[in-house]
């Protein structure tokens, strides 16, 4: 049985989930895969964006897919 919660996590990439959970540090410049995945969701951030700000954006993406 698949819950809607699992479906949400399946529809969002692993880098976005990891960032939302706080598993990244540094700036977006250090995480090109995350930058690429954010762009797929229509989010373009400066490469100097810190991990705490990325986390907030990624949490919002997860919430929007809920």
């Amino acid at each position: 049985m698949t819950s809607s919660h699992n479906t949400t996590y399946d529809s969002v990439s692993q880098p976005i989930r990891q960032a939302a959970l706080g598993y990244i540090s540094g700036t977006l410049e250090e995480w090109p895969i995350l930058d690429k995945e954010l762009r797929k969701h229509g989010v373009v951030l400066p490469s100097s964006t810190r991990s705490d700000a990325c986390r907030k954006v990624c949490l919002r993406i997860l919430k929007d897919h809920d």
Side-chain angles (χ1 to χ4, degrees):
M1 180 190 318
T2 303
S3 71
S4 64
H5 185 71
N6 288 340
T7 303
T8 299
Y9 278 92
D10 291 342
S11 67
V12 177
S13 71
Q14 184 176 357
I16 290 178
R17 286 180 285 164
Q18 288 177 332
L21 293 170
Y23 293 153
I24 68 166
S25 61
T27 63
L28 191 56
E29 182 176 24
E30 300 170 65
W31 298 92
I33 294 172
L34 175 59
D35 187 27
K36 180 180 175 183
E37 293 300 318
L38 288 171
R39 289 173 186 269
K40 287 181 184 178
H41 288 276
V43 177
V44 179
L45 298 171
S47 61
S48 61
T49 303
R50 294 174 40 101
S51 59
D52 54 337
C54 290
R55 180 176 186 267
K56 291 176 185 177
V57 171
C58 291
L59 283 169
R60 180 61 185 229
I61 291 170
L62 286 177
K63 182 179 177 182
D64 288 348
H65 281 86
D66 194 12

